[in-house]
Amino acid sequence: MPKGIGQRKRFTSEMVDIEEFHACTEALSFVCWSGSSKHDNVPIQEAGVMGYFKKELAKRQVREDGRRWLFVPYDQLTDQMGPLAREDVRTLGIVLVENPWKAARRPYHKQKLALILANLRHFALEQADRGVAVRRVVGEGPYATALESLIPELGTLRVMLPAERELRSDLARLANQGSLQFLPHEGWLSTSERFRESDIKAPPWKMDTFYRFIRRTTGILMDGEKPAGGRYSFDVENRLPWHGKPRAPEPPSFPRDPIKEEVGELIRNVFARHPGRLDLDALPATKKDAEKLWAWAKAECLPLFGPHEDAMSHRSKSLFHTRISSLLNIHRLLPSRVISDVAGMSLPVGSKEGFIRQILGWREFVRHVHEATDGFRKLPEGRTPVEKAPGDGGYQKWAGEIWGLGKKAKGPDGGAAPCALGCDGPLPPAYWGEPSGLACLDRVVSDVWAEGYSHHITRLMILSNLATLLDARPRDLTDWFWVAYTDAYDWVVEPNVLGMGTYALAGLMTTKPYVSGAAYINRMSDYCTICSFNPKIDCPVTSLYWAFLARHEAVLKTNPRLNMPMASLKKRDALRRKKDQEVYARVKEILGKGDKITPQNL
Ligand SMILES: Cc1cc2nc3c(=O)[nH]c(=O)nc-3n(C[C@H](O)[C@H](O)[C@H](O)COP(=O)(O)OP(=O)(O)OC[C@H]3O[C@@H](n4cnc5c(N)ncnc54)[C@H](O)[C@@H]3O)c2cc1C
Ligand code: SF4
């Protein structure tokens, strides 16, 4: 069994998880605390832990009557926006849902479950400390079901419009019947109206056009009418590899506390079958932790963020990337705050612009494209097929066991499954940690299962690149990213994988497929130095690249951005093309069995 991934155990139904959640500790019942005795005997039981959270929340009990109630989803854990920022805490109550049903829908990384639960619990105590009434419930099904039973007692609930389409669709029924009122989500830096007003009114959408528009209209990083530094983008300068110097910063660790310990024990007991390594020392969960991470990012990463933005290394998992995405996406750090801090810092303009573009540009852009296409269900060429139930990202193929209830699963569908290139292959077990023999892939996969994180270029040019070269089904790869990364939610993972990583949406939001052979990987990383293949002689990735261009020649030859590689493909003689195809078939066969490729067996 690969180290750090978890156990290949049978996990057959969504019910199993919830039953375990309920049954794990007979001894310690923890209530669905509300501050009202009515709920004190709701017997939700938890793993063999101290009941610390329950006791702490109970200590902060306040009167509930006369309050207006707000549902705060798992990714809106802030009091710096919305009603929590403005309304009198003595008149406010919040509902927080811990939902084992949601956790069981996909084989999510343990670290992601811990991140959500620990932050949610800390947030509950923070709000209770402010005098907000906190009603915490444990869901055993869709969120709408969990909230519905509260409505007769609490009245109409409010919620800032969830970022995740999956949650919006879950809650639609309550909204339609008037039991739930959607408020604008104040965490975004741009509105849908702004996106529609930008110069790109219709697809194909270009991030750069949107980004320039937003820079101009917000004035961020502008000197009057002109972009600061004279240009909107310093991308061309930001493509240096990294050879070990300057030293890459060590990510910070975070102090343990009783909430994290309790969550850790819950995960180990109830969610043991979920993959990935749980590392409580790497878990930011408090406001202080979020500040520590951001202070580290500003001091250690941002000064060198730009030049090495595209570099990859086996000696550093994040190089000069900030690792803030997980906290940004649940709003423990606010995008507006991060942007304004960086705009005010004294930094080389390439680093400052490079970083701001990621958040003001890419992060906003992908969310708009996701929303405008209803999660890629509605594309200019028509409707796309939609999965009935959440995918397992190749878990079953790797583990030999099914995850969840498959098509019988309750709740929202499993997402759109577009595929412009018609790729329908399986995701090899290498993505779950079976050694592939390709050092680049093995290194990044192992980092992901160790931390639930890897930086952008590894996601794009290693994981997506190789899956695309192997004709893996884009939806399966999307589901894999969704479960494996602690920062993944549909609005961000789907555009990045379907739109950018795999070309499943053709030119909807990118101009070409991001694929490469060994030359690029060798130039931008040091992975090849620890590989048994030689990038200039026998690396299969180069053959996979040419075989990919040849297989999809009919579609790709019309793309002007691929003129050069397609012209080179034409010049490739028949023998080499045949060899490329053989390598492709052999690599697929070996990796498909979960075996390792070597220079000898290829
Ligand atoms: C195939 C693929 C899958 C991805 N899946 C996710 C995902 O599930 N969740 C996620 O947050 N990001 C995703 N990204 C975008 C990006 O890789 C991560 O946001 C980034 O690597 C997070 O690490 P960081 O905080 O160290 O980022 P940094 O490099 O320090 O960048 C700063 C911030 O910019 C934002 N950002 C940068 N690029 C993007 C982008 N393309 N889309 C959205 N935000 C961006 C993130 O909030 C990030 O924290 C994906 C990219 C690819 C190519
Ligand atoms: S030689 Fe090829 S397989 Fe090995 S690390 Fe380099 S690109 Fe990857």
Side-chain angles (χ1 to χ4, degrees):
M1 189 184 74
K3 278 192 195 133
I5 291 204
Q7 294 148 331
R8 294 188 192 193
K9 271 191 185 171
R10 187 164 186 80
F11 187 69
T12 49
S13 108
E14 289 172 82
M15 291 307 294
V16 177
D17 208 27
I18 291 166
E19 280 164 13
E20 280 185 17
F21 194 89
H22 280 275
C24 217
T25 44
E26 293 297 308
L28 266 171
S29 76
F30 91 154
V31 294
C32 167
W33 187 80
S34 67
S36 102
S37 57
K38 205 168 153 194
H39 287 260
D40 279 351
N41 52 12
V42 177
I44 306 293
Q45 291 155 351
E46 202 170 35
V49 288
M50 315 77 94
Y52 176 84
F53 173 61
K54 170 199 158 190
K55 283 192 225 134
E56 290 300 311
L57 198 50
K59 274 193 221 160
R60 293 160 173 82
Q61 178 175 353
V62 287
R63 286 180 68 91
E64 288 194 333
D65 36 323
R67 294 183 185 247
R68 285 185 80 195
W69 289 84
L70 177 76
F71 165 47
V72 180
Y74 43 82
D75 59 355
Q76 295 181 9
L77 305 179
T78 179
D79 56 18
Q80 301 300 301
M81 61 186 192
L84 278 169
R86 285 190 290 272
E87 293 178 14
D88 183 347
V89 291
R90 289 165 302 185
T91 64
L92 253 181
I94 59 171
V95 178
L96 295 169
V97 180
E98 293 183 7
N99 202 337
W101 168 83
K102 167 102 173 168
R105 267 166 72 79
R106 298 182 177 85
Y108 291 113
H109 198 299
K110 284 195 189 74
Q111 191 76 356
K112 182 173 192 184
L113 300 183
L115 180 93
I116 301 283
L117 202 51
N119 275 283
L120 192 103
R121 288 184 174 190
H122 269 295
F123 178 74
L125 297 185
E126 287 160 18
Q127 295 315 307
D129 277 338
R130 294 176 68 214
V132 176
V134 179
R135 178 75 66 98
R136 167 182 169 266
V137 291
V138 176
E140 298 194 9
Y143 283 81
T145 315
L147 296 175
E148 196 162 28
S149 58
L150 300 173
I151 285 160
E153 186 197 347
L154 304 183
T156 299
L157 295 171
R158 297 173 295 163
V159 61
M160 280 193 285
L161 189 69
E164 276 212 284
R165 186 196 179 279
E166 186 168 281
L167 184 56
R168 291 199 297 272
S169 117
D170 181 339
L171 298 177
R173 181 171 60 82
L174 292 189
N176 290 340
Q177 71 196 32
S179 312
L180 185 71
Q181 184 196 353
F182 286 135
L183 310 176
H185 187 315
E186 296 174 18
W188 301 111
L189 302 169
S190 56
T191 59
S192 311
E193 290 73 40
R194 274 280 192 236
F195 179 67
R196 284 195 294 270
E197 276 167 30
S198 63
D199 307 347
I200 41 169
K201 294 182 181 63
W205 289 297
K206 302 274 182 300
M207 195 293 287
D208 197 51
T209 316
F210 167 74
Y211 172 58
R212 284 164 186 251
F213 175 82
I214 291 295
R215 289 267 301 273
R216 283 197 304 276
T217 49
T218 57
I220 294 173
L221 225 54
M222 297 294 289
D223 288 334
E225 301 282 293
K226 298 219 166 89
R231 274 185 281 152
Y232 282 101
S233 169
F234 291 80
D235 225 9
V236 191
E237 282 97 326
N238 288 350
R239 285 181 190 151
L240 297 180
W242 180 73
H243 299 300
K245 285 190 181 144
R247 183 191 60 84
E250 271 301 306
S253 58
F254 306 97
R256 292 189 178 212
D257 60 38
I259 294 279
K260 293 183 193 177
E261 298 282 6
E262 190 170 47
V263 164
E265 192 156 344
L266 182 74
I267 304 277
R268 282 188 287 270
N269 284 291
V270 180
F271 301 109
R273 295 185 183 103
H274 283 252
R277 186 168 73 108
L278 177 66
D279 181 357
L280 294 184
D281 299 317
L283 187 71
T286 62
K287 280 185 172 176
K288 257 192 170 166
D289 294 344
E291 290 306 318
K292 185 176 180 183
L293 180 67
W294 182 227
W296 169 82
K298 281 188 290 186
E300 306 268 341
C301 305
L302 284 175
L304 283 155
F305 181 84
H308 301 291
E309 217 178 320
D310 285 3
M312 302 175 276
S313 174
H314 69 86
R315 289 173 286 171
S316 165
K317 292 191 181 86
S318 44
L319 287 170
F320 303 96
H321 294 271
T322 61
R323 292 174 172 259
I324 60 170
S325 50
S326 297
L327 292 187
L328 276 181
N329 292 351
I330 58 173
H331 292 90
R332 292 298 264 172
L333 279 175
L334 291 193
S336 52
R337 184 264 173 111
V338 163
I339 291 274
S340 91
D341 282 4
V342 173
M345 280 172 78
S346 167
L347 285 174
V349 67
S351 289
K352 190 182 271 199
E353 187 286 314
F355 180 79
I356 286 182
R357 177 152 28 93
Q358 306 310 317
I359 298 188
L360 187 64
W362 278 111
R363 188 171 183 275
E364 294 287 311
F365 175 73
V366 297
R367 161 258 165 162
H368 285 305
V369 172
H370 194 260
E371 195 182 69
T373 56
D374 192 21
F376 306 116
R377 285 157 180 82
K378 294 178 199 155
L379 298 181
E381 51 288 359
R383 299 192 81 87
T384 29
V386 173
E387 297 290 318
K388 283 208 168 64
D392 70 1
Y395 173 89
Q396 182 177 346
K397 181 166 170 49
W398 164 68
E401 303 285 351
I402 59 165
W403 181 279
L405 289 175
K407 290 188 177 147
K408 289 189 203 142
K410 284 182 290 180
D413 64 46
C419 187
L421 296 175
C423 304
D424 204 20
L427 195 65
Y431 282 74
W432 290 86
E434 297 297 338
S436 70
L438 310 175
C440 47
L441 181 63
D442 291 344
R443 188 72 210 194
V444 179
V445 166
S446 135
D447 290 351
V448 175
W449 288 118
E451 297 198 348
Y453 171 86
S454 77
H455 67 76
H456 184 72
I457 300 303
T458 53
R459 300 188 203 204
L460 187 65
M461 296 313 296
I462 303 295
L463 298 167
S464 302
N465 181 29
L466 284 165
T468 304
L469 295 182
L470 291 168
D471 273 0
R473 192 166 174 265
R475 182 70 236 178
D476 292 354
L477 184 68
T478 309
D479 292 328
W480 181 84
F481 269 103
W482 198 343
V483 303
Y485 280 81
T486 58
D487 60 16
Y489 302 88
D490 58 16
W491 64 268
V492 61
V493 77
E494 289 180 340
N496 271 298
V497 185
L498 297 170
M500 203 188 305
T502 63
Y503 206 61
L505 298 163
L508 187 79
M509 52 180 278
T510 49
T511 49
K512 60 169 186 162
Y514 287 96
V515 283
S516 83
Y520 176 88
I521 298 174
N522 190 33
R523 188 166 70 251
M524 294 309 297
S525 82
D526 54 13
Y527 297 133
C528 304
T529 62
I530 54 162
C531 190
S532 47
F533 291 100
N534 183 322
K536 293 187 177 150
I537 299 172
D538 60 354
C539 171
V541 178
T542 301
S543 303
L544 292 180
Y545 171 74
W546 290 115
F548 170 84
L549 294 185
R551 269 195 320 284
H552 301 292
E553 193 172 2
V555 178
L556 302 180
K557 72 180 178 198
T558 56
N559 185 327
R561 290 211 57 204
L562 293 178
N563 282 350
M564 270 187 25
M566 296 318 278
S568 305
L569 177 70
K570 270 208 158 68
K571 288 188 208 139
R572 216 164 160 79
D573 62 51
L575 208 63
R576 287 168 97 187
R577 285 175 81 131
K578 183 165 169 280
K579 175 81 181 149
D580 296 336
Q581 178 51 34
E582 282 165 8
V583 169
Y584 165 71
R586 185 85 184 111
V587 168
K588 265 194 108 155
E589 184 196 338
I590 298 172
L591 293 187
K593 287 193 268 184
D595 291 341
K596 193 169 164 179
I597 312 165
T598 65
Q600 291 71 38
N601 71 5
L602 196 60

